[in-house]
Amino acid sequence: MSLFVTLPHLEVRRANAFAAAGMLSLTPVMAATMMGEAFGHWFKRRVLGTLLIHHDAQLMAERHLEGPDKPTFYLQKFRGATLFSLQDVNSKLRPSGDKPGQPVNSDQPNAFMSGRWSLVLEVEDDDWEGPTAKELENEVTRFLQSGCRLAGGIIQSHGKPAAGTAMYGRSGPTSEWGVINRSIGNGFVVIDRTELMRQSGQGRVEGLLSVLATGKAASDQSAEESESARKWFSPAVLGYALISPLSKREYVRENKSHAYCESMVGLVELISLRQLTDTQQDVASFLWSAKWPQSDVFLLSHATGA
């Protein structure tokens, strides 16, 4: 038996949007799934899956003066990198007026977003003395007020959590409705559509860009469809591939084993809850969970394999 609990309407400010090299994303799938894992450690219960519901998000821009009265806005934020052995990795000279020979900090770009997302967690409950719904709701509130963050962003406010055995539905009295209906309402469920990157007959990068540019899958692009038929796709980091062995290294947090890795970028689609229910799709089939399909690959997928 499982209990579902919501982390509803998380108002997040200054969250990381620079998901991978050369890619901005407003769909923090990895961060949301890891937040679910963090709650499992906090509550000492296994979290079987995490549903991500998107409500709203905006990229934050940074204003620079390129010349007199010529402001330019950038989505990326420029920050100085750390010096290594008193020599910077970018040893160009400073602008005129400074002493020559001084190193210049390398640009270390960041990008930030503010937004509102909701999470639904499926919490394992296999014993007779498992938590009550009220205990689970109270624990979520304590967790959210403990200083936790989503994608590095500060959670400024949140709705009232709801817990229960039903995830979605309006049968019976209000107290027996699904937790989404009781505390979240409407929104867009983030689902995995990475398979569309391989259906275009092109390489994965070309397939990803094609779907993002047209808003349609390759199978739909030959059909004459109205602009309203365009779907809402987004790139997202859905895993990491290790490029070095796990080992102990200096200055690693909590002295954990460390490895270098590369991001694995996939494709997600945002579909409204109403559309899913109108087409009689099971919302619970879109819970995300993490696994190691092989020793050097960490991957997110839908918990049911959908």
Side-chain angles (χ1 to χ4, degrees), residues 50-138:
T50 301
L51 186 77
L52 175 61
I53 299 176
H54 176 99
H55 300 290
D56 186 30
Q58 310 87 31
L59 285 168
M60 301 174 69
E62 188 168 87
R63 183 174 181 266
H64 291 269
L65 287 175
E66 300 294 338
D69 301 321
K70 292 182 179 180
T72 303
F73 291 90
Y74 293 92
L75 293 178
Q76 72 272 24
K77 315 295 183 294
F78 299 100
R79 298 289 181 268
T82 303
L83 295 175
F84 295 93
S85 302
L86 301 181
Q87 295 294 322
D88 195 78
V89 291
N90 180 7
S91 58
K92 294 180 180 179
L93 298 179
R94 292 184 182 275
S96 59
D98 286 342
K99 296 180 180 179
Q102 294 180 340
V104 178
N105 283 356
S106 297
D107 282 338
Q108 185 174 332
N110 298 277
F112 300 104
M113 60 182 171
S114 293
R116 182 163 54 93
W117 298 273
S118 294
L119 277 62
V120 183
L121 310 182
E122 182 181 6
V123 180
E124 188 176 46
D125 181 25
D126 284 340
D127 58 58
W128 291 102
E129 298 180 357
T132 65
K134 187 63 176 178
E135 290 171 342
L136 192 52
E137 292 169 2
N138 292 338

Coordinates of all heavy atoms in Angstrom, one line a residue, residues 50-138:
T50 N 7.9 10.5 -8.0 CA 7.6 11.9 -7.9 C 6.9 12.4 -9.2 O 7.5 12.2 -10.2 CB 8.9 12.7 -7.6 OG1 9.5 12.2 -6.4 CG2 8.6 14.2 -7.5
L51 N 5.8 13.0 -9.0 CA 5.1 13.7 -10.1 C 5.4 15.2 -10.1 O 5.3 15.8 -9.0 CB 3.6 13.5 -10.0 CG 2.7 13.9 -11.2 CD1 2.9 13.0 -12.4 CD2 1.3 14.1 -10.8
L52 N 5.8 15.7 -11.3 CA 6.1 17.2 -11.4 C 5.0 17.8 -12.1 O 4.6 17.4 -13.3 CB 7.4 17.4 -12.1 CG 7.8 18.8 -12.4 CD1 7.9 19.7 -11.1 CD2 9.1 18.9 -13.1
I53 N 4.3 18.8 -11.5 CA 3.3 19.6 -12.2 C 3.7 21.0 -12.3 O 4.1 21.7 -11.3 CB 2.0 19.5 -11.3 CG1 1.5 18.1 -11.2 CG2 0.9 20.4 -12.0 CD1 0.3 17.9 -10.4
H54 N 3.7 21.5 -13.6 CA 4.2 22.9 -13.9 C 3.0 23.8 -13.9 O 1.9 23.6 -14.4 CB 4.8 22.9 -15.3 CG 5.3 24.2 -15.8 ND1 6.6 24.6 -15.7 CD2 4.6 25.2 -16.3 CE1 6.6 25.9 -16.2 NE2 5.4 26.2 -16.6
H55 N 3.2 25.0 -13.2 CA 2.2 26.0 -13.2 C 2.6 27.3 -14.0 O 1.9 27.8 -14.8 CB 1.8 26.4 -11.8 CG 1.2 25.3 -11.0 ND1 0.0 24.7 -11.2 CD2 1.8 24.6 -9.9 CE1 -0.2 23.8 -10.3 NE2 0.9 23.7 -9.5
D56 N 3.8 27.7 -13.7 CA 4.3 29.0 -14.2 C 5.8 29.1 -14.0 O 6.3 28.6 -13.0 CB 3.6 30.2 -13.6 CG 3.9 31.5 -14.2 OD1 4.2 31.5 -15.4 OD2 3.9 32.5 -13.5
A57 N 6.5 29.7 -15.0 CA 7.9 30.0 -14.8 C 8.4 31.1 -15.7 O 7.9 31.3 -16.8 CB 8.7 28.7 -15.1
Q58 N 9.4 31.9 -15.3 CA 9.9 32.9 -16.1 C 11.4 33.0 -15.9 O 11.9 32.8 -14.8 CB 9.4 34.3 -15.6 CG 7.9 34.4 -15.5 CD 7.4 34.0 -14.2 OE1 8.0 34.2 -13.2 NE2 6.2 33.4 -14.1
L59 N 12.1 33.2 -17.0 CA 13.6 33.3 -16.9 C 13.9 34.7 -16.4 O 13.1 35.7 -16.7 CB 14.2 33.2 -18.3 CG 14.3 31.7 -18.8 CD1 14.7 31.7 -20.3 CD2 15.4 31.0 -18.0
M60 N 15.0 34.9 -15.7 CA 15.4 36.2 -15.2 C 16.5 36.7 -16.1 O 17.4 36.0 -16.4 CB 15.9 36.0 -13.7 CG 14.8 35.5 -12.8 SD 15.5 35.1 -11.1 CE 15.8 36.8 -10.5
A61 N 16.4 38.0 -16.4 CA 17.4 38.6 -17.3 C 18.3 39.5 -16.5 O 18.0 40.0 -15.4 CB 16.7 39.4 -18.4
E62 N 19.5 39.7 -17.0 CA 20.5 40.6 -16.4 C 20.8 41.8 -17.3 O 21.0 41.6 -18.5 CB 21.8 39.9 -16.1 CG 22.7 40.6 -15.2 CD 23.9 39.7 -14.7 OE1 24.8 39.6 -15.4 OE2 23.7 39.2 -13.6
R63 N 20.8 43.0 -16.8 CA 21.0 44.2 -17.6 C 22.4 44.6 -17.6 O 23.0 44.8 -16.5 CB 20.0 45.3 -17.1 CG 20.0 46.6 -17.8 CD 19.0 47.5 -17.2 NE 18.9 48.8 -17.9 CZ 19.5 49.9 -17.6 NH1 20.3 49.8 -16.5 NH2 19.4 51.0 -18.2
H64 N 23.0 44.9 -18.8 CA 24.3 45.4 -18.9 C 24.3 46.6 -19.8 O 23.5 46.7 -20.8 CB 25.3 44.3 -19.5 CG 25.5 43.2 -18.6 ND1 26.6 43.1 -17.8 CD2 24.9 42.0 -18.5 CE1 26.6 42.0 -17.1 NE2 25.5 41.3 -17.5
L65 N 25.2 47.5 -19.6 CA 25.3 48.7 -20.5 C 26.5 48.4 -21.4 O 27.6 48.3 -21.1 CB 25.7 49.9 -19.6 CG 24.5 50.6 -18.8 CD1 25.0 51.7 -18.0 CD2 23.4 51.0 -19.8
E66 N 26.1 48.2 -22.7 CA 27.1 48.0 -23.8 C 27.7 49.3 -24.2 O 28.7 49.3 -24.9 CB 26.4 47.2 -24.9 CG 25.8 45.9 -24.6 CD 26.9 44.9 -24.1 OE1 28.1 45.0 -24.5 OE2 26.6 43.9 -23.4
G67 N 27.1 50.3 -23.9 CA 27.6 51.7 -24.3 C 26.7 52.7 -23.7 O 25.8 52.4 -22.9
P68 N 27.0 54.0 -23.9 CA 26.2 55.0 -23.3 C 24.7 54.9 -23.7 O 24.3 54.9 -24.8 CB 26.8 56.3 -23.9 CG 28.1 55.9 -24.3 CD 28.1 54.5 -24.7
D69 N 23.9 54.7 -22.6 CA 22.4 54.6 -22.8 C 22.0 53.5 -23.8 O 21.0 53.6 -24.5 CB 21.9 56.0 -23.4 CG 22.2 57.1 -22.4 OD1 22.1 56.9 -21.2 OD2 22.5 58.2 -22.9
K70 N 22.8 52.4 -23.8 CA 22.5 51.3 -24.6 C 22.4 50.0 -23.7 O 23.3 49.2 -23.8 CB 23.5 51.1 -25.7 CG 23.5 52.2 -26.8 CD 24.5 51.9 -27.9 CE 24.4 53.0 -28.9 NZ 25.4 52.8 -30.0
P71 N 21.3 49.8 -23.0 CA 21.3 48.6 -22.1 C 21.0 47.4 -23.0 O 20.2 47.4 -23.9 CB 20.1 49.0 -21.2 CG 19.2 49.9 -22.0 CD 20.2 50.7 -22.8
T72 N 21.6 46.3 -22.6 CA 21.3 45.0 -23.2 C 21.0 44.0 -22.2 O 21.6 44.0 -21.1 CB 22.6 44.6 -24.0 OG1 23.0 45.6 -25.0 CG2 22.3 43.3 -24.7
F73 N 20.0 43.2 -22.5 CA 19.6 42.2 -21.5 C 20.1 40.8 -21.9 O 20.0 40.4 -23.1 CB 18.0 42.2 -21.4 CG 17.5 43.4 -20.7 CD1 17.2 44.5 -21.5 CD2 17.3 43.5 -19.4 CE1 16.7 45.7 -20.9 CE2 16.9 44.7 -18.8 CZ 16.5 45.8 -19.6
Y74 N 20.6 40.1 -20.9 CA 21.1 38.7 -21.2 C 20.3 37.8 -20.2 O 20.1 38.0 -19.1 CB 22.6 38.6 -20.9 CG 23.5 39.4 -21.8 CD1 23.8 40.7 -21.5 CD2 23.9 38.8 -23.0 CE1 24.7 41.4 -22.4 CE2 24.7 39.5 -23.9 CZ 25.1 40.8 -23.5 OH 25.9 41.6 -24.4
L75 N 20.0 36.6 -20.8 CA 19.4 35.6 -20.0 C 20.4 34.9 -19.1 O 20.1 34.5 -18.0 CB 18.7 34.5 -20.8 CG 17.5 35.0 -21.6 CD1 16.9 33.9 -22.5 CD2 16.4 35.5 -20.7
Q76 N 21.7 34.8 -19.5 CA 22.7 34.3 -18.7 C 23.3 35.3 -17.8 O 23.4 36.5 -18.2 CB 23.8 33.6 -19.5 CG 24.7 34.5 -20.3 CD 24.2 34.9 -21.7 OE1 23.0 34.8 -21.9 NE2 25.1 35.3 -22.5
K77 N 23.7 34.9 -16.6 CA 24.4 35.8 -15.7 C 25.9 35.5 -15.7 O 26.3 34.4 -15.6 CB 23.8 35.6 -14.3 CG 22.3 35.5 -14.2 CD 21.6 36.8 -14.6 CE 20.1 36.7 -14.5 NZ 19.5 35.7 -15.4
F78 N 26.7 36.6 -15.8 CA 28.1 36.4 -15.8 C 28.7 36.5 -14.5 O 28.5 37.5 -13.8 CB 28.7 37.4 -16.8 CG 28.2 37.3 -18.2 CD1 27.2 38.2 -18.7 CD2 28.7 36.3 -19.0 CE1 26.8 38.1 -19.9 CE2 28.2 36.2 -20.3 CZ 27.3 37.1 -20.8
R79 N 29.5 35.5 -14.1 CA 30.1 35.5 -12.8 C 31.5 35.1 -12.9 O 31.9 34.4 -13.8 CB 29.4 34.5 -11.8 CG 27.9 34.8 -11.6 CD 27.8 36.0 -10.7 NE 26.4 36.3 -10.4 CZ 25.7 37.2 -11.1 NH1 26.2 37.8 -12.1 NH2 24.4 37.4 -10.7
G80 N 32.4 35.6 -12.0 CA 33.8 35.3 -12.1 C 34.1 33.9 -11.5 O 33.5 33.5 -10.5
A81 N 34.9 33.1 -12.2 CA 35.3 31.8 -11.8 C 36.4 31.9 -10.7 O 37.0 33.0 -10.5 CB 35.7 30.9 -12.9
T82 N 36.7 30.8 -10.1 CA 37.8 30.8 -9.1 C 39.2 30.8 -9.7 O 39.4 30.1 -10.7 CB 37.6 29.6 -8.1 OG1 36.3 29.7 -7.6 CG2 38.6 29.7 -7.0
L83 N 40.1 31.5 -9.1 CA 41.5 31.4 -9.6 C 42.1 30.1 -9.2 O 41.9 29.6 -8.1 CB 42.3 32.5 -9.0 CG 41.9 34.0 -9.5 CD1 42.8 35.0 -8.7 CD2 42.1 34.1 -11.0
F84 N 42.9 29.5 -10.1 CA 43.6 28.2 -9.8 C 45.1 28.5 -9.7 O 45.7 29.0 -10.7 CB 43.4 27.2 -10.8 CG 41.9 26.8 -10.9 CD1 41.0 27.4 -11.7 CD2 41.4 25.8 -10.1 CE1 39.7 27.0 -11.8 CE2 40.1 25.4 -10.1 CZ 39.2 26.0 -11.0
S85 N 45.7 28.3 -8.5 CA 47.2 28.4 -8.4 C 47.6 29.9 -8.8 O 48.6 30.0 -9.4 CB 47.9 27.4 -9.2 OG 47.6 26.1 -8.8
L86 N 46.8 30.8 -8.4 CA 47.0 32.3 -8.7 C 47.1 32.6 -10.2 O 47.5 33.7 -10.6 CB 48.4 32.7 -8.0 CG 48.4 32.5 -6.5 CD1 49.8 33.0 -6.0 CD2 47.3 33.3 -5.8
Q87 N 46.7 31.6 -11.0 CA 46.7 31.9 -12.5 C 45.3 31.5 -12.9 O 44.8 30.4 -12.6 CB 47.7 31.1 -13.2 CG 49.1 31.5 -12.9 CD 49.4 32.9 -13.4 OE1 49.0 33.3 -14.4 NE2 50.2 33.6 -12.6
D88 N 44.6 32.4 -13.7 CA 43.3 32.1 -14.1 C 43.3 31.3 -15.4 O 44.3 31.3 -16.2 CB 42.5 33.4 -14.4 CG 41.1 33.2 -14.5 OD1 40.4 33.1 -13.4 OD2 40.6 33.2 -15.6
V89 N 42.2 30.5 -15.6 CA 42.2 29.7 -16.8 C 42.0 30.6 -18.0 O 42.2 30.1 -19.1 CB 41.0 28.7 -16.7 CG1 41.3 27.6 -15.7 CG2 39.7 29.4 -16.4
N90 N 41.6 31.8 -17.9 CA 41.5 32.7 -19.0 C 42.5 33.9 -18.7 O 42.1 34.8 -17.9 CB 40.1 33.2 -19.2 CG 40.0 34.2 -20.3 OD1 40.9 34.4 -21.1 ND2 38.8 34.8 -20.5
S91 N 43.7 33.9 -19.2 CA 44.7 34.9 -18.8 C 44.8 36.1 -19.7 O 45.8 36.6 -19.9 CB 46.0 34.2 -18.8 OG 46.3 33.6 -20.0
K92 N 43.6 36.5 -20.2 CA 43.6 37.8 -21.0 C 43.8 39.0 -20.1 O 43.6 38.9 -18.9 CB 42.3 37.9 -21.7 CG 42.1 36.8 -22.8 CD 40.7 37.1 -23.5 CE 40.5 36.0 -24.5 NZ 39.2 36.1 -25.2
L93 N 44.3 40.1 -20.7 CA 44.6 41.3 -19.9 C 43.3 41.9 -19.6 O 42.3 41.8 -20.3 CB 45.5 42.2 -20.7 CG 46.9 41.7 -21.0 CD1 47.6 42.7 -21.8 CD2 47.6 41.3 -19.7
R94 N 43.3 42.7 -18.5 CA 42.1 43.5 -18.1 C 41.9 44.7 -19.1 O 42.9 45.0 -19.9 CB 42.3 44.1 -16.7 CG 42.3 43.1 -15.6 CD 42.4 43.8 -14.3 NE 42.5 42.8 -13.2 CZ 41.4 42.2 -12.7 NH1 40.2 42.5 -13.1 NH2 41.5 41.3 -11.7
P95 N 40.8 45.3 -19.1 CA 40.6 46.4 -20.1 C 41.6 47.5 -19.8 O 42.2 47.6 -18.8 CB 39.1 46.9 -19.7 CG 38.5 45.7 -19.1 CD 39.6 45.0 -18.4
S96 N 41.7 48.4 -20.8 CA 42.6 49.5 -20.7 C 42.4 50.3 -19.5 O 41.3 50.6 -19.1 CB 42.5 50.4 -22.0 OG 41.2 50.9 -22.1
G97 N 43.5 50.8 -18.9 CA 43.4 51.6 -17.7 C 43.9 50.8 -16.5 O 44.3 51.4 -15.5
D98 N 43.8 49.4 -16.5 CA 44.4 48.6 -15.5 C 45.8 48.3 -15.8 O 46.3 48.3 -17.0 CB 43.6 47.3 -15.3 CG 42.2 47.6 -14.6 OD1 42.1 48.7 -14.0 OD2 41.3 46.8 -14.7
K99 N 46.5 47.8 -14.8 CA 47.9 47.4 -15.1 C 48.0 46.2 -15.9 O 47.2 45.2 -15.7 CB 48.6 47.2 -13.7 CG 48.7 48.4 -12.8 CD 49.4 48.1 -11.6 CE 49.6 49.3 -10.7 NZ 50.2 49.0 -9.4
P100 N 48.8 46.1 -16.9 CA 48.9 44.9 -17.7 C 49.5 43.7 -17.0 O 50.1 43.9 -16.0 CB 49.9 45.4 -18.8 CG 50.7 46.4 -18.2 CD 49.8 47.2 -17.3
G101 N 49.1 42.6 -17.4 CA 49.6 41.4 -16.8 C 48.7 40.8 -15.7 O 49.0 39.7 -15.3
Q102 N 47.7 41.5 -15.3 CA 46.8 41.0 -14.3 C 45.8 40.0 -15.0 O 45.3 40.3 -16.0 CB 46.1 42.1 -13.6 CG 47.0 43.0 -12.8 CD 46.2 44.1 -12.1 OE1 45.1 44.5 -12.5 NE2 46.8 44.7 -11.1
P103 N 45.5 38.9 -14.4 CA 44.6 37.9 -15.0 C 43.2 38.4 -14.8 O 42.8 39.2 -13.9 CB 44.8 36.7 -14.2 CG 45.3 37.1 -12.8 CD 46.1 38.4 -13.1
V104 N 42.3 37.9 -15.7 CA 40.9 38.3 -15.7 C 40.1 37.0 -15.4 O 40.4 35.9 -16.0 CB 40.4 38.8 -17.1 CG1 38.9 39.1 -17.1 CG2 41.2 40.1 -17.4
N105 N 39.2 37.1 -14.5 CA 38.4 35.9 -14.1 C 37.6 35.4 -15.3 O 37.1 36.2 -16.1 CB 37.4 36.2 -13.0 CG 38.1 36.2 -11.7 OD1 39.3 36.0 -11.5 ND2 37.3 36.6 -10.6
S106 N 37.6 34.1 -15.5 CA 36.8 33.6 -16.6 C 35.3 33.8 -16.4 O 34.9 33.8 -15.3 CB 37.1 32.1 -16.8 OG 38.4 31.8 -17.1
D107 N 34.6 33.9 -17.5 CA 33.2 34.0 -17.4 C 32.6 32.6 -17.0 O 32.9 31.6 -17.6 CB 32.5 34.4 -18.7 CG 32.7 35.9 -19.0 OD1 32.8 36.6 -18.0 OD2 32.7 36.3 -20.1
Q108 N 31.9 32.6 -16.0 CA 31.2 31.3 -15.5 C 29.7 31.6 -15.5 O 29.1 32.0 -14.6 CB 31.7 31.0 -14.1 CG 31.1 29.7 -13.6 CD 31.7 29.3 -12.3 OE1 32.9 29.7 -11.9 NE2 31.0 28.5 -11.5
P109 N 29.1 31.4 -16.7 CA 27.7 31.8 -16.9 C 26.7 31.0 -16.0 O 26.9 29.8 -15.8 CB 27.4 31.6 -18.3 CG 28.4 30.5 -18.7 CD 29.6 30.7 -17.9
N110 N 25.7 31.7 -15.5 CA 24.6 31.1 -14.8 C 23.3 31.6 -15.4 O 23.3 32.7 -16.1 CB 24.6 31.4 -13.3 CG 25.9 30.9 -12.6 OD1 25.9 29.7 -12.2 ND2 26.9 31.7 -12.5
A111 N 22.2 30.9 -15.2 CA 20.9 31.4 -15.6 C 19.9 31.0 -14.5 O 20.0 29.9 -14.0 CB 20.5 30.8 -17.0
F112 N 19.0 31.9 -14.3 CA 18.1 31.7 -13.2 C 16.7 31.9 -13.6 O 16.4 32.6 -14.6 CB 18.4 32.7 -12.0 CG 19.8 32.5 -11.4 CD1 20.7 33.4 -11.7 CD2 20.1 31.4 -10.6 CE1 22.0 33.3 -11.2 CE2 21.3 31.3 -10.1 CZ 22.3 32.2 -10.4
M113 N 15.7 31.3 -12.9 CA 14.3 31.4 -13.2 C 13.6 31.5 -11.9 O 14.0 31.1 -10.8 CB 13.8 30.2 -14.0 CG 14.0 28.9 -13.3 SD 13.5 27.5 -14.3 CE 14.1 26.1 -13.3
S114 N 12.4 32.1 -12.0 CA 11.4 32.0 -10.9 C 10.2 31.3 -11.4 O 9.8 31.4 -12.6 CB 11.1 33.4 -10.4 OG 12.2 34.0 -9.8
G115 N 9.5 30.6 -10.5 CA 8.4 29.8 -11.0 C 7.6 29.2 -9.9 O 7.8 29.4 -8.7
R116 N 6.5 28.5 -10.3 CA 5.6 27.8 -9.4 C 5.4 26.4 -9.9 O 4.9 26.2 -11.0 CB 4.3 28.6 -9.2 CG 3.3 28.0 -8.2 CD 2.3 29.0 -7.9 NE 1.6 29.6 -9.0 CZ 0.5 29.1 -9.6 NH1 -0.1 28.1 -9.0 NH2 -0.1 29.7 -10.6
W117 N 5.8 25.4 -9.0 CA 5.6 24.0 -9.4 C 4.9 23.3 -8.2 O 5.0 23.8 -7.0 CB 6.9 23.4 -9.7 CG 7.6 23.9 -10.8 CD1 7.5 23.6 -12.2 CD2 8.7 25.0 -10.8 NE1 8.4 24.3 -13.0 CE2 9.1 25.2 -12.2 CE3 9.2 25.7 -9.8 CZ2 10.0 26.1 -12.5 CZ3 10.2 26.7 -10.2 CH2 10.6 26.9 -11.5
S118 N 4.3 22.2 -8.5 CA 3.8 21.3 -7.4 C 4.4 19.9 -7.6 O 4.6 19.5 -8.8 CB 2.2 21.2 -7.5 OG 1.6 22.4 -7.2
L119 N 4.6 19.2 -6.5 CA 5.1 17.8 -6.5 C 4.1 16.9 -5.8 O 3.4 17.4 -4.9 CB 6.4 17.7 -5.8 CG 7.7 18.1 -6.6 CD1 7.7 19.5 -7.0 CD2 9.0 17.8 -5.7
V120 N 4.0 15.7 -6.3 CA 3.2 14.7 -5.7 C 4.1 13.5 -5.5 O 4.7 13.0 -6.4 CB 2.0 14.3 -6.5 CG1 1.1 13.2 -5.8 CG2 1.1 15.5 -6.9
L121 N 4.2 13.1 -4.2 CA 5.1 12.0 -3.9 C 4.3 10.7 -3.6 O 3.3 10.8 -2.9 CB 6.0 12.3 -2.7 CG 6.8 13.6 -2.7 CD1 7.6 13.8 -1.5 CD2 7.6 13.8 -4.0
E122 N 4.8 9.6 -4.0 CA 4.2 8.3 -3.6 C 5.1 7.7 -2.6 O 6.3 7.4 -2.8 CB 4.1 7.3 -4.8 CG 3.4 6.0 -4.4 CD 3.3 5.0 -5.5 OE1 3.8 5.3 -6.6 OE2 2.7 3.9 -5.3
V123 N 4.6 7.6 -1.3 CA 5.4 7.2 -0.2 C 5.0 5.8 0.2 O 3.8 5.4 0.3 CB 5.2 8.1 1.0 CG1 6.0 7.7 2.2 CG2 5.5 9.6 0.6
E124 N 6.0 4.9 0.3 CA 5.8 3.5 0.6 C 5.2 3.4 2.0 O 5.7 4.1 3.0 CB 7.1 2.7 0.5 CG 7.0 1.2 0.7 CD 8.3 0.5 0.4 OE1 9.3 1.0 1.0 OE2 8.3 -0.5 -0.3
D125 N 4.3 2.5 2.2 CA 3.6 2.3 3.5 C 3.3 0.8 3.6 O 2.2 0.4 3.4 CB 2.4 3.1 3.7 CG 1.7 3.0 5.0 OD1 2.4 2.6 6.0 OD2 0.5 3.2 5.1
D126 N 4.3 0.0 4.0 CA 4.1 -1.5 4.0 C 3.8 -2.1 5.4 O 3.5 -3.3 5.5 CB 5.3 -2.2 3.4 CG 5.4 -2.0 1.9 OD1 4.3 -1.8 1.3 OD2 6.5 -2.2 1.3
D127 N 3.9 -1.3 6.4 CA 3.7 -1.9 7.7 C 2.4 -1.4 8.4 O 1.8 -0.4 7.9 CB 4.9 -1.6 8.7 CG 5.1 -0.1 8.8 OD1 4.2 0.6 9.3 OD2 6.2 0.4 8.5
W128 N 2.0 -2.1 9.4 CA 0.7 -1.8 10.1 C 0.8 -0.5 10.8 O -0.2 0.1 11.1 CB 0.4 -2.9 11.0 CG 0.0 -4.2 10.3 CD1 0.8 -5.3 10.2 CD2 -1.2 -4.5 9.7 NE1 0.2 -6.3 9.4 CE2 -1.1 -5.8 9.1 CE3 -2.4 -3.8 9.5 CZ2 -2.1 -6.4 8.4 CZ3 -3.4 -4.4 8.7 CH2 -3.2 -5.7 8.2
E129 N 2.0 0.0 11.2 CA 2.1 1.2 12.0 C 2.6 2.3 11.2 O 3.4 3.2 11.6 CB 3.0 0.9 13.2 CG 2.5 -0.1 14.1 CD 3.4 -0.4 15.3 OE1 4.5 0.3 15.3 OE2 3.1 -1.2 16.2
G130 N 2.2 2.4 9.9 CA 2.6 3.4 9.0 C 2.0 4.8 9.4 O 1.1 4.9 10.3
P131 N 2.5 5.9 8.8 CA 2.0 7.2 9.2 C 0.5 7.4 8.8 O 0.1 6.9 7.8 CB 2.9 8.1 8.5 CG 3.3 7.3 7.2 CD 3.4 5.9 7.7
T132 N -0.2 8.2 9.6 CA -1.5 8.6 9.1 C -1.3 9.8 8.1 O -0.3 10.4 8.0 CB -2.3 9.1 10.3 OG1 -1.7 10.3 10.9 CG2 -2.4 8.0 11.4
A133 N -2.4 10.0 7.4 CA -2.4 11.1 6.4 C -2.0 12.4 7.1 O -1.3 13.2 6.5 CB -3.7 11.2 5.7
K134 N -2.6 12.7 8.3 CA -2.3 13.9 8.9 C -0.9 14.1 9.4 O -0.3 15.1 9.2 CB -3.2 14.0 10.2 CG -3.2 15.4 10.9 CD -3.7 16.5 10.0 CE -3.7 17.8 10.7 NZ -4.2 18.9 9.8
E135 N -0.3 13.0 9.8 CA 1.1 13.0 10.2 C 2.0 13.3 9.0 O 3.0 14.0 9.1 CB 1.5 11.6 10.8 CG 0.9 11.4 12.2 CD 1.2 10.0 12.7 OE1 1.5 9.1 11.8 OE2 1.0 9.7 13.9
L136 N 1.6 12.7 7.8 CA 2.4 12.9 6.6 C 2.3 14.4 6.2 O 3.3 15.0 5.8 CB 1.9 12.0 5.5 CG 2.8 11.8 4.3 CD1 4.2 11.5 4.6 CD2 2.2 10.7 3.4
E137 N 1.1 14.9 6.2 CA 0.9 16.4 5.9 C 1.8 17.3 6.8 O 2.4 18.2 6.3 CB -0.5 16.7 6.0 CG -1.4 16.0 5.0 CD -2.9 16.2 5.2 OE1 -3.2 16.9 6.2 OE2 -3.7 15.7 4.5
N138 N 1.8 17.0 8.1 CA 2.6 17.8 9.0 C 4.1 17.7 8.7 O 4.8 18.7 8.9 CB 2.2 17.4 10.5 CG 0.8 17.8 10.9 OD1 0.2 18.7 10.3 ND2 0.3 17.1 11.9

